[in-house]
Structure formats: structure tokens, C-alpha cells
Amino acid sequence: MQMQMQTGLNATEGQHDKYDAVYPNKTTIACMINAEIGAVLAVMRRNVRWGVHYMSDDEQSDHFLVQSLKALRRQIFSLHSQWRAINPALYLQPFLDVIQSDETGAPITGVALSSVYKILTLDVIDQNTVNVGDTMDLVVEAVTSCRFEVTDPGSEEVVLMKIVQVLLACVKSKASVMLSNQHICTIVNTCFRIVHQARTKSELLQRIARYTMHELVRCIFSHLQNIDNTDHAIINGRTTLKQEITELNYEHASASGQLENGMLNYAYDSQPLSAGIASSTGSAVAAAVMDGNTAIASGGKETDAHEMEILAEPCGIPCMVEIFQFLCSLLNFVEHMGMNPRSNTITFDEDVPLFALTLINSAIELGGASFRRHPGLLCVIQDELFRNLMQFGLSMSPLVLSMVCSIVLNLYHHLRTELKLQLEAFFSCVILRLAQSKYGASYQQQEVAMEALVDFCRQKTFMVEMYANFDSDISCSNVFEDIGNLLSKSAFPVNNPLSSMHILALDGLIAVMQGMAERIGSGSLSSEHSSVNFEEYGPFWMEKCDSYDDPNDWVPFVRRRKYIKKKLMMGADHFNRDPKKGIEFLQGTHLLPNQPDPQSVACFFRYTAGLDKNLIGDFLGNHDEFSVQVLHEFARTFDFHDMSLASALRIFLETFRLPGESQKIHRVLEAFSESYYEQSPNILANKDAALVLSYSIILLNTDHHNVQVKKKMSEEDFIRNNRCINDGNDLPREFLSEIYHSICNNEIRTTPEPGFGFPEMNPSRWISLMHKSKDTAPFIVSDSKAFLDYDMFLILSGPTIAAISVVFDNAENEEVYQTCIDGFLAIAKISAYYHLETVIDDLVVCLCKFMTILDPLSVDESVLAFGDDTKARMATETVFTIANRYGDYIRTGWRNILDCILRLHKLGLLPSQLASDAADESELTMETHHGKSKSYSLSSTHLQSISMPKRSSSLMSKFSQLLSLGTEESRSIPTDEQLVAQQQAVQTINKCHLDSLFAESKFLQAESLLHLARALIEAGAQPLKGNKISEDEDTSIFCLELLVAITLNNRDRIGLLWKGVYEHISNIVQSTVVPCALVEKAVFGLLRICHRLLPYKENITDELLRSLQLALKLDARVADAYYEQITKEVSRLVKANASHIRSQFGWRAITSLLSITARHLEAAEAGFDALLFIMSDGAHLLPANYILCIETARHFVESRVGKVDRSITALDLMADSVNCLEKWAGDAKQAAKEEEVEKMLQDIGEMWLRLVQGLRKVCLDQREEVRNHALISLQKCLTGAVPSRLPCDLWLQCFNQVIFTVLDDLLEIAEAHSQNDYRNIEGTLALALKLLSKVFLQFFHELSQLPSFCKLWEGVLSRMEKYAKVKFRRSEKLQELVPELLKNTLLVMKSEGILVQSNDLGGNSFWELTWLHIKNIDPSLQRDVFPDKDSEKLQSQHKQIENLGPDANISVPTNETVGQDGASISA
């Protein structure tokens, strides 16, 4: 001891001076250590054995332990070096000796342990301290081999607590980097033994021991992230252990219980820990299994030098691998004990497994993704850990199941790329099984499994990766679809009240939907939804992806694989019903060649899930050549490399049902043996050996697992049966023994299992999974972009909407309501983004069902019910939120939305300006009608609120009614609850923003707008029944005005809406037979549309104006009621838009309406006002409307409903319109082309002819003023400038059709009627004669040039003659007027040289014709026109004419023209 002290004192100090400042004062430390020495000695003196001895008693000298403590006390204050330069063993060894001594009791040992703990925590010892490595070795060895006498249970527990306390301090101290792999394993081993032994001790010891073990694991694995994967160095970086770790990992991968080579080993030791912790040799650690439970004991094997070197290295990966594998092995104790993990729910299933799982979870949390850099650790996780997780995942204990799920969630987060098939198996065989009651899971199990599943769904990329990696992989199950179906079904409260399980499942669904909604617009590839199709055959099992890291590669790859998988599953369905049709179906989809080859059919059998295994077995066992080829190709699809024959045969036979016939069995096993021998020849000499051994394994499997076989085959029997089969030699006994036990422990299932959707994992499946994981495709990791959301949403949307709807319907909690609403909005957002109109329509339909407004209730009661119904209010707000945000993608859903609006309308809850079309400039106001003052303004700002039904003008009026505190109606005073309900109803409607829904319709996409209009038309048309309007007229009016509003708001797209709007209004107009508000709104709505759109839409002006002719189709009673208002609006329409009406079709519609008003007493004034606006000064007369306006004016002239002055004014309009013709004729002369001039003059002539024809008709009016004014106007038109520009043949037509006709008609009237009927008809006849004379004389020169002038002149003479013969009482005015007019005419003709004597008496010349008629009128005219000097000659000619007789025909020239009416002139 003195030599050691001296060595410590002589240690060099200079190099450590720079560290002195970080240590406590030397004296302070010395005092602390001295105090600890005193404490130990004081406790020892209390014991008789260690009491005070007298100096005289040499035999009673101090014990070695006391001497060492006293020696340290003498030296402690005399140390001159700094503490870090002193060997720590000097001041620790006396305490360690006390700890290791088996003579000391528990109190002494406990104080010594406390002293060591205090020194370790002083930070005096670190990696730079002298001889720190040896010191830490001494401390660990001493504490782990602690010996003490047990005096009482309390002292024993104190010592055990202080042991774990000191060991934890060692690992946490700065000098812990000097601990070796062996030290760490020893510390963990010791702590676990104490944890195990504490089960029989106090609760405090149990908790402290478990806490310490937990902290040890956390401290150890917290360093994993700092260890580089390329340099497997321990923490201080001294030595690389890459090769050594690889070798150890291979041993760790085995499933054996023994962990050899001096590491943590299983053994049995009956000695209790309290009697002493088993001493640890230089290379071994103690462990024991006590009381039937697991602990760590010492293995007596010696390790080789290489492994000793690894164990001596500073702590690193090797100790982590051993500790992690030890923790996993703790889960295997069930197998060692031969017990079922479900056998004891509390004491067995929640003790050691739960503790081990907690430690494993902590290790994974701290190590994280660093595990993948170390193959040894990763191998343990992939195989042993996950296999145990699969087993304990089915535990009846909710605590164990919850911890298992937490571990898997951490593994998914950190290591999912390395655990692809393990994750699939966990979800399929654990989570999806437990979450359904049909597999026998308890409610607690279901709830924990559902909670775990929802936690996974909350990971933003979880479902995307499930879809990409499993649902699109033909060899994997559809995890994504299975999870979606499970969640949607679990959310349905079928015949049960809503429970937490339903809400939990709903949370999972909504989490998935919200994840998709959050990824919208993240620059995804999902906008390209081109359909996948195979135009030619390609091996579907050979589909490859160029890069699993580049979305541009893996996204199309996933879609192709999903398409293949979907078609294969459809093909499997066909195949199970008829194998031939199944093959044909796959050929049609180009997944199999037109001429099936063995390889393609074999791969179809091998990789297609859902095929009937019986059919596969029968097909493979057939003897025909093609089936045999398929069988051999099928066997080659398996990878049997490095696989035992039993495992290979197990995997092979589980893919189909082995046929029952011996020949078929032989063919199948022969193909298997050949394939296996080609890949794993190892021990077998040839394929025949593989075939015989395969037969033997089948026999063993049948013998051992068939309950009907009483005497089972022993191991010796099996080995004896297989002698000399390996090319005449025996197979190794160990090889056959391993096969025997493998088959006995795990049956090879040669028949399909009962139809469970999610099978339970068994050892055989696990072996197959681990083998398959070597060659599986890489795990696709998705980021937060919407690569596959479109495809996923198509699958999930329907079930999700149904599930949310059911929960929303059954929920009674506002928090659940809000959760459902969040889900609805997320679905709507996704549907709109991907333009899935059908989905969003379904969503709207579901939501509208919850707007439960009870019709049987009164209005006030319904409003209060709506205000009290939180669900209905939230559904209402959500529906209109979706409509406002995503209206572009609503189609048939508009009908349901409109139904909701109509319900609110009936309750008077809608805003007053709902149908606003944002137009202030087009107000159409109507006057008082039927004695009632009505405002028919078609502007939204002056319309009577269409959203308020007659029974309630607005919701505020309801408030007013409720607030009326009249004493006689005290019962109507609202309660506070009613007022709150009213306010809630108002607030809800305000949040819906219903006004913007229609006001912003101009931003809707065309298809959505069209469906909205159709919905309004359909809703508005429902009340129409037969030929009358139903009682619900208010609904039709409301829909009609909304329809008009959106039509006006979409004037740029009027072509899209016009047809439906017009047909709807037309149906209303034509089906109405009595005046009502609906037809009124229809007609004036149509006028409003025309009024607003005419200035902007010239391309549909004609259609708009033509629609006004609907007014002509009104029933007589309806027309009488509304013509006045209609005419006023038409008048305003014309005045505002006359300049925009260009076509004849448009003007025809206007004038048709105006013409009808001429006969209507109330409407005539407004109609004539419009006509006056058009025709006054020719302001708006056009060639297109000239004839129409003339006809309309004529109707007003002929109308008797107004004063004569209106008819006179109308005549003036007609007469003045000739000025327009003069102007147009003048303008025609400016035309560049002669053809155009001629055409325009021809058109003007036609219009002029129609004008004078119209006047001719009016000349026959019964009213004298009108009749006479018409003749004057006609004369004005006939003698103006226009006729001079017209062709002469048109004049002949004018005389025949107008002048002669009016004279004849007037004469007929005069003869047929008395003067009482036609007052002063004589004066009218005189005016007509003067008109004839004046027109004839004015255009005499032009007329005389016509070949048919003779006939024209004869027509004039004949009319003169007839008029001269008319007799009126007391008046001979006509007899005086005719000779006078005729004389003037003859004089003009004479002066013009037209009327001259002819010497040719052989023909009936013009001369004879003239005097023939004049003789009948006034013979004296001849003398007046011709002087007496010619009288003799004239008399002789007269005699000749008289001889002709009155019936003699006067021939006309052969080139005489005939009037346009085809009549010729005859005497």
C-alpha cells in the first residue's frame, strides 16, 4: 500500500497544470474524502467485530480493512500533487475493499458504496486522470461483485439501491469513455439482476432499479448517433471494429438463446444476489435465471484472443449490439418457459415483456435513423425484434400492445426503408386483425390498435407510402385500401350508439384527408392523370423503376404497377370461376401473351393474390405438356439460395394446395427438387436426394400433425428412413435432426386456411418473409407533395363521405360536429382541386340532409328550432361555404343547395338582397294596377324583397314581433332562449354569405353555371301543374328572380343560359290563364333581361327581341291585366336601346307588341309614345323597320280606343316618314356602284308603295277627320319628291292599287251607307277626286310616255264619269267638281300635244276614247277645250264615235304594260 502511495506521489504534475482550475480545491476534496473515511469507520465501530481494540493485545490488531482506511486518512492531507495527477485507486481502493469483503454487513457496505458514489460525482476523475482506465475497471469489478452479510431486509434493499446508483454514476461520469464493451455489458447485467430480484422486494427498490436500468439504456444508446458508419470506432476513436462486428452480427442473427463469447449469457444460478453478485472473470459476465424468470448469469467459456480484444475496447457498437439483442431476447422467455403469452394477462404479460419493450423503445428513440448505419443492430431489428413484436402485438394486455405500437411507429419514422415487408406484415397480421371484432379481439385491444392506426395516419406521408409500396406491388397486400376500409367501417355506429371507437376511426380518416388537403398546390405531378393502358404484351413481373428517389420515375411506375395489380385481381376473380376465362381476360388486357407461354402463366400463379390455391394445385399437377412446363417455370420463380430444404419446401407448398393424387404429388415435388438443387446444392449430392428427402418431409409432416395418427414418427425413425439417400451416403445427423424438429414444431400447411382477410403470422410465414425481404423492391419514400393523392382520393372519397355523414348524424357533441365539418371541407377542397365534380356533388347531397327544418311547425317555431339545432346550423354554414369556395365544380349538387335556400326562404331567413344583380341603372317601375299600389321595379335595389315570403317579410320583423310587449299578448313575449336561438339563426345565415353566391355567379365555370340555372328552372317549374299554378307560387317567383339575377350577372355568357331561361319563361307564360305574380315576374323579368343586355350583346339582339313576342301569347285575361305595364317597359326599352336594334327581326318583335297595344285602352298611350319616339322626325326609322313602323302607325290610326287626335298624329307620322324615303333616295345616288343604286331605289320604291297602300286603307275610315286627313296625307306622299325618283312602272302599280282603289272603295261606301254612318262622305269623295286629278297632272309628262298611258287615261275618265253620276241630297258638289277637274286635265293634255285630233278613223284612237267618256260626263267640255272653229270637224267625228255604241272596245297598243295586279283597263 505504501509503495502504491509513493508511486502516486511521484507522478509528474507539470503537464496537468493547465487543468487545475477546473477542479475543486485540494484541501476541500481531501476533507470530503476524509469525511467519507470517518463515516465508514464509524459504522464499522458500531459492529462488535469491528469494535475498538487495545494496543497491548497484539492478537487483536486492526483488521486489514480498517488499516487501509486509517492509512488513507493519514496520507490524505499530505498529498502535494494535483488530484488529476494522482492515481484514483489510492483513495478508492480502501472503499472498494470494503464493498468486496464478505465479512462486512449491509450497513457498512452501503456506506462504502455511498462514498464511492460521492467521489465519482465530484468530477475529480475524467478521461485525463492518471490510470483512469484501470481505476474504472476496479470500480466496476468491485461493485458488480459486491459481497455483504444480510442482517435485515431493509439494509439489503439499501445496498442494492446504492449498487445501481454507483453503476449508473460510472456510466454517466466523464471517465465513462474509458469503460470497455465488457464493462458496459457487466453493468447492464448486474442492474438487470437487481431489477429481477427487486420483484420480491419493496416497491421503492423496484422503481429505482427499473429507473436505473432505463437510464443506463438511454445513456448508452444516446451515443449511437455519434458513431460513424464507415469507421466503427468507439467513442474515443481508438480502434475500428468493422470486421469484428460483421462476424459477431452473423452469430447474433441466430434465434438461439445462448449469447456466447463472454457476453450476456443465459444460465442457472441458485445463489441469491443478496449473498453476493457472481464474480466476473476477465472475460465473462454473470447471469442467472431465478424463480423461473430470466436473469443474466456467468458463462464459463473462455473467449479467444480476438474476441477478448473486442471486449477490451472502449464501449461502442459491440456492446450496443449485445445489449439490444439481450433486450430482444427478454421477449423470448415465453418460448423458454413453454407458455402462451395470452395465458396470464396481468402477472405474465405485463411484467418482463413490458419492461423489455420500454427499454427497446427508449433505445430506438435515441438511436433513431443511426441504426441503419450498423448492420448488426439493424439485423436484430429486422428479424428478432420484429418477430417478437408480431407475437406480442397480439397480447391481451393493452399496455403491451400499446408499447408494441409505439415501437413500430418509431421504427416506421426512422427505419421504414429497411423494414418494408416487416411493416406490411405488422399491419396485416396485427393492427388490421385486432382493430376488428370479428377476429376475437377484446374491445380494449381494438381501441389500442385503432389508436395506433390513427397515429400512423397522422403521419403526413404514411398513407402515400402505404399506397406506393404495398397497394401497387403485386406481391403485397393492399394495405392502403385495407386501412381505409377499416377506418370507414369502424366509424359506422351500426345498431349501436356512437362510441369513442367510432370517433377514433373518424379522426384517422379525417387526418388522411387533411394531409391530402395540405399537400394541394405543392408542385406535384398529380395534375397529369393520364390513364394507364397496355397496348401490347409485356412481362408484368419484370416492371422496373429507373430511380426510386426521383418522383418523375417512381410515380408513373407506381401507377403502372397499380394498374397491373388491379387487372390481375380482376383476372384472378375470373380465373377462380373459370380458369379459361381468366386467362382470356388477361390476354385481353395484354398482361398475358395471345399465345400463353409457360413462364407468363407461372408468374401469374406465383405473383397474383386471391387465386384459388386448389385450382393452382390442380393445374400444376396435370400431366399435359403445357402444365408440366408451367410447373417447372413456377418452381424457378422461387429463390432457394442459402435456404434449408425444409424452409424451401415450406415456402413452396404454401403457395398452392398440394394435389391428392400420388402422380401429381410426384410431379410437383420433382419440379421443386430440381429447382432447389440447382440453387442450393450444398449437402445434397443430386436432385434425387432432394426429391426423396422432400417426400420424407411430407410424410413426416402428415404423420406428426394428423390427429388420426396415434403413433408418431420419432426422430430416430426419421433419420433411419433417410439413410443412404444422398447418392448412397447418409446425410449428416444434425442436418436431419434440424429438419425433424422444424417440421414437428411448425406444420407445413398443404391446404388453404379458412378465409381470414388478415392471417395470423406463423414461423413459416416469417421465414418466407425474411427470405423475401432480401429481394424486395426498395421502399419508396414520399415527401410532402401530392404525387399520388388523386389516385388515393378516388379510392377513399366515397367511404369517407359516408362515414363522416353517419358520425355527424349520430353525434351529439359540438366538438365531434366540428371534426366532421373539418373533414367535409377537406374533402371539398381536394375534390375541387382535382375537378371531381361527382364527389363534391355527393358531399353536398350528404350535407343538405342535415338541414332539418321541420315544415309541420309554424314559421316562428321552425326558426327557433333551426336556431337551437347546432348540427343543422353547422351543416348549413358548411354547405354554403363549399358553394362559395368551390362552386365551379358543383354540378347536380346545385339542386340540393337550392332546396336548402328555399327552406330558408320559407322561414324568412334570407338576406333581402339575395337576388341582387348589381345593376342600378335599369330600374323598371310599374304603375298602380288593379287598384293596388305595386312596385314592379326590375332593378334589384327597388324590387320587393323576393327572398322574404308573404308570411314573413324578414327575420328582423320576427324580432319585432317577439319584442312586442303588448299586455294583451303576454304569451308572445320571447324567452331568453328564444332570443338566443333567433340570434344564432341570423348569425348562421350571415356567415353563409348567400348574397355573394349569386352575385358572384359571373365567376363560375360555364358547366357549373349551366347546372345552377337548370336547378333554378327545375325548382321553379315544380309548382306548375297542368294549366294552372299551384299554391306554392312564392317558390316559383323566388327561383325565377334568382334565375333572372344570374342571367344578368352573366351577360357575357348569355348564350350559355339564354335557351333555358327563355324556355322556362315561355312555359310560365303559356301555361298561365289567370293574372298572377308569377307570370308578371316572368314577363317583366324577360323585359329586364332585354333592357340590360341589348346595349352589350348585338350578336343576340334579335333573339332577345324576338323573345318579347311571348307577350303576344298571353291569355286574354292575363294580357288585359299587364299590357299597360308591358307597354311602358317596352317603351323604355325602345327609348334606351333604339340605336342598338338594327335588324328587321328585332324591330318586328317591338312593332308587333306596339301594334297590339293600339287596341288596348290602358296600353295605347304608352305604345303610341314609343312609336312617336321611333318615327318623329325619322330619328330611328331605318330601312329595316320602316314598313313595320308604317304598319304599326296605321294600327294606331285605325284604333278607336283613343282620341281622334292620336289618329291624326299617327297619320302625320306616316306622311312625314316620306321625308326619310327622300333622304335615303338622295343617299342612294352617292353609292359607288350602279347595281347598288338600282337595288336601293327598288327597296325605297317598295317602302313608298307600302306607305301609300297603308294610307289608302286609312282613307276609308268611318271618322271624317281621319278619313279626310288620310287623303291629304296620301296626296302629300304621292306628290312629293320620292315618286319622281321611282320607276314609271311603279306608278302604274300605284294608280291601280292605291288611287283607283281608294276612289272605287269610297264610291262604294258612299253608295252603300247613309251619311249618318259616314258623315260628309261627299266631301271625302271630292278630296279623292282632287287627289286623282292633281297626281295625274303632276306626273302627266312621265305617264304620257308609257305605252299603257291609254289604259291609264281610260281609268281616270271612267272614275270621273262614275263620280259625276253620284247624287247627294241638296248637293251637286261632285257634278260641279268633276267637269272642272276634267277640263283642267284636258287643257293640260291639249297643251302637251297629247289630246289631238286623229284622221285615222279606222282605229279606236286616243281621241275617240277621250270624247266617248266626256260625252257621258259633260258634252260642253269639248267646246270649252276646243274653240268653235273646230266645231264642225268635231261634230262629224262625234257622229262616227256615236256609231260605235257604248260597248265598243278601245284597243290599246300591243306594247302596253299591265299593272302589277295583272288587271288591264277596258272601257
Side-chain angles (χ1 to χ4, degrees), residues 1262-1331:
Q1262 190 174 2
R1263 296 165 295 175
E1264 178 186 4
E1265 298 89 341
V1266 176
R1267 191 170 60 241
N1268 293 341
H1269 198 79
L1271 284 169
I1272 296 172
S1273 300
L1274 179 59
Q1275 179 177 317
K1276 177 182 176 181
C1277 295
L1278 292 174
T1279 57
V1282 174
S1284 62
R1285 302 173 184 268
L1286 301 179
C1288 294
D1289 56 345
L1290 194 61
W1291 266 108
L1292 287 176
Q1293 190 176 353
C1294 177
F1295 268 91
N1296 291 326
Q1297 297 180 6
V1298 179
I1299 300 176
F1300 291 162
T1301 303
V1302 73
L1303 288 169
D1304 294 341
D1305 292 342
L1306 284 173
L1307 183 59
E1308 182 180 351
I1309 290 173
E1311 293 175 348
H1313 296 84
S1314 66
Q1315 291 195 21
N1316 292 330
D1317 294 333
Y1318 284 82
R1319 185 168 55 87
N1320 197 15
I1321 189 63
E1322 183 181 11
T1324 304
L1325 294 177
L1327 289 175
L1329 284 174
K1330 292 177 181 179
L1331 180 146

Side-chain angles (χ1 to χ4, degrees), residues 1117-1131:
R1117 288 173 291 178
V1118 179
D1120 287 342
Y1122 300 119
Y1123 260 153
E1124 181 181 2
Q1125 291 81 12
I1126 293 173
T1127 308
K1128 288 181 179 179
E1129 298 309 324
V1130 171
S1131 177

Side-chain angles (χ1 to χ4, degrees), residues 1076-1095:
C1076 63
L1078 178 59
V1079 71
E1080 178 182 337
K1081 295 292 184 181
V1083 173
F1084 295 111
L1086 184 61
L1087 285 168
R1088 184 181 178 191
I1089 293 173
C1090 294
H1091 186 81
R1092 286 282 303 282
L1093 299 184
L1094 280 177

Side-chain angles (χ1 to χ4, degrees), residues 1244-1450:
I1244 292 172
E1246 179 66 22
M1247 288 184 278
W1248 175 80
L1249 183 60
R1250 295 293 294 272
L1251 170 63
V1252 294
Q1253 286 177 340
L1255 288 172
R1256 173 191 66 79
K1257 295 177 181 179
V1258 183
C1259 291
L1260 308 179
D1261 196 277
Q1262 190 174 2
R1263 296 165 295 175
E1264 178 186 4
E1265 298 89 341
V1266 176
R1267 191 170 60 241
N1268 293 341
H1269 198 79
L1271 284 169
I1272 296 172
S1273 300
L1274 179 59
Q1275 179 177 317
K1276 177 182 176 181
C1277 295
L1278 292 174
T1279 57
V1282 174
S1284 62
R1285 302 173 184 268
L1286 301 179
C1288 294
D1289 56 345
L1290 194 61
W1291 266 108
L1292 287 176
Q1293 190 176 353
C1294 177
F1295 268 91
N1296 291 326
Q1297 297 180 6
V1298 179
I1299 300 176
F1300 291 162
T1301 303
V1302 73
L1303 288 169
D1304 294 341
D1305 292 342
L1306 284 173
L1307 183 59
E1308 182 180 351
I1309 290 173
E1311 293 175 348
H1313 296 84
S1314 66
Q1315 291 195 21
N1316 292 330
D1317 294 333
Y1318 284 82
R1319 185 168 55 87
N1320 197 15
I1321 189 63
E1322 183 181 11
T1324 304
L1325 294 177
L1327 289 175
L1329 284 174
K1330 292 177 181 179
L1331 180 146
L1332 173 63
S1333 177
K1334 185 172 182 178
V1335 173
F1336 183 80
L1337 290 176
Q1338 182 170 342
F1339 298 99
F1340 174 76
H1341 179 72
E1342 291 82 0
L1343 294 173
S1344 63
Q1345 307 300 319
L1346 296 176
S1348 59
F1349 177 71
C1350 183
K1351 181 178 287 190
L1352 177 63
W1353 172 238
E1354 184 182 6
V1356 172
L1357 290 176
S1358 64
R1359 269 75 181 178
M1360 290 282 191
E1361 182 179 351
K1362 291 178 182 180
Y1363 269 62
K1365 295 178 180 179
V1366 176
K1367 302 292 185 181
F1368 289 97
R1369 263 187 255 173
R1370 297 186 300 276
S1371 175
E1372 294 183 356
K1373 186 176 181 179
L1374 291 180
Q1375 285 76 12
E1376 296 174 357
L1377 180 61
V1378 171
E1380 181 182 350
L1381 295 176
L1382 190 55
K1383 179 179 179 180
N1384 293 333
T1385 304
L1386 292 173
L1387 290 173
V1388 172
M1389 294 176 66
K1390 178 183 178 182
S1391 64
E1392 292 291 332
I1394 299 300
L1395 186 61
V1396 294
Q1397 183 178 1
S1398 174
N1399 294 323
D1400 186 8
L1401 299 178
N1404 297 323
S1405 65
F1406 183 76
W1407 175 267
E1408 288 93 4
L1409 175 65
T1410 302
W1411 297 117
L1412 178 64
H1413 285 282
I1414 292 176
K1415 175 186 175 185
N1416 297 328
I1417 299 172
D1418 186 2
S1420 64
L1421 283 178
Q1422 186 174 15
R1423 291 190 299 271
D1424 294 337
V1425 175
F1426 292 93
D1428 293 338
K1429 60 181 179 180
D1430 299 325
S1431 60
E1432 295 180 358
K1433 187 176 182 179
L1434 289 173
Q1435 290 176 357
S1436 62
Q1437 292 177 348
H1438 271 298
K1439 292 180 180 179
Q1440 295 178 6
I1441 294 174
E1442 290 175 356
N1443 295 330
L1444 295 176
D1447 298 328
N1449 290 329
I1450 305 300

Side-chain angles (χ1 to χ4, degrees), residues 155 267 275 458 623 655 719 730 826 916 1139 1174:
S155 299
R458 291 191 177 111
H623 65 278
T655 58
I719 295 174
D730 289 342
S916 171
S1139 59
I1174 298 172

Side-chain angles (χ1 to χ4, degrees), residues 959-1155:
F959 274 118
S960 300
Q961 296 171 9
L962 288 172
L963 294 174
S964 299
L965 303 179
T967 56
E968 68 273 12
E969 296 183 2
S970 58
R971 62 177 182 175
S972 65
I973 298 177
T975 64
D976 293 339
E977 291 78 7
Q978 289 175 330
L979 290 175
V980 170
Q982 293 277 7
Q983 292 172 353
Q984 288 177 336
V986 172
Q987 292 172 0
T988 298
I989 300 305
N990 289 338
K991 291 178 182 178
C992 291
H993 302 291
L994 292 173
D995 50 348
S996 64
L997 185 63
F998 296 97
E1000 301 299 324
S1001 62
K1002 55 189 173 184
F1003 300 113
L1004 286 177
Q1005 291 185 2
E1007 190 67 20
S1008 177
L1009 177 64
L1010 191 59
H1011 278 82
L1012 173 58
R1014 289 173 181 170
L1016 286 167
I1017 293 170
E1018 182 181 350
Q1022 278 187 346
L1024 295 176
K1025 298 178 180 178
N1027 294 324
K1028 61 180 181 178
I1029 304 298
S1030 70
E1031 296 179 357
D1032 196 7
E1033 182 185 17
D1034 189 55
T1035 298
S1036 296
I1037 294 174
F1038 179 75
C1039 294
L1040 176 62
E1041 296 217 9
L1042 286 181
L1043 182 63
V1044 172
I1046 66 168
T1047 303
L1048 296 177
N1049 280 330
N1050 290 273
R1051 66 187 184 192
D1052 293 333
R1053 296 185 289 180
I1054 185 62
L1056 184 69
L1057 300 173
W1058 177 246
K1059 182 179 178 181
V1061 173
Y1062 174 75
E1063 289 179 354
H1064 179 57
I1065 294 177
S1066 176
N1067 290 335
I1068 295 175
V1069 169
Q1070 296 184 53
S1071 61
T1072 306
V1073 295
V1074 292
C1076 63
L1078 178 59
V1079 71
E1080 178 182 337
K1081 295 292 184 181
V1083 173
F1084 295 111
L1086 184 61
L1087 285 168
R1088 184 181 178 191
I1089 293 173
C1090 294
H1091 186 81
R1092 286 282 303 282
L1093 299 184
L1094 280 177
Y1096 307 101
K1097 294 295 172 183
E1098 295 184 1
N1099 57 325
I1100 63 166
T1101 299
D1102 292 345
E1103 291 186 36
L1104 290 173
L1105 294 175
R1106 190 182 297 120
S1107 68
L1108 296 180
Q1109 293 182 347
L1110 282 177
L1112 305 179
K1113 300 179 181 180
L1114 287 170
D1115 184 88
R1117 288 173 291 178
V1118 179
D1120 287 342
Y1122 300 119
Y1123 260 153
E1124 181 181 2
Q1125 291 81 12
I1126 293 173
T1127 308
K1128 288 181 179 179
E1129 298 309 324
V1130 171
S1131 177
R1132 295 191 65 228
L1133 176 70
V1134 171
K1135 291 178 180 179
N1137 300 285
S1139 59
H1140 301 103
I1141 307 174
R1142 301 289 183 183
S1143 70
Q1144 185 178 13
F1145 295 104
W1147 281 111
R1148 187 184 304 278
I1150 298 293
T1151 55
S1152 297
L1153 287 172
L1154 296 180
S1155 297

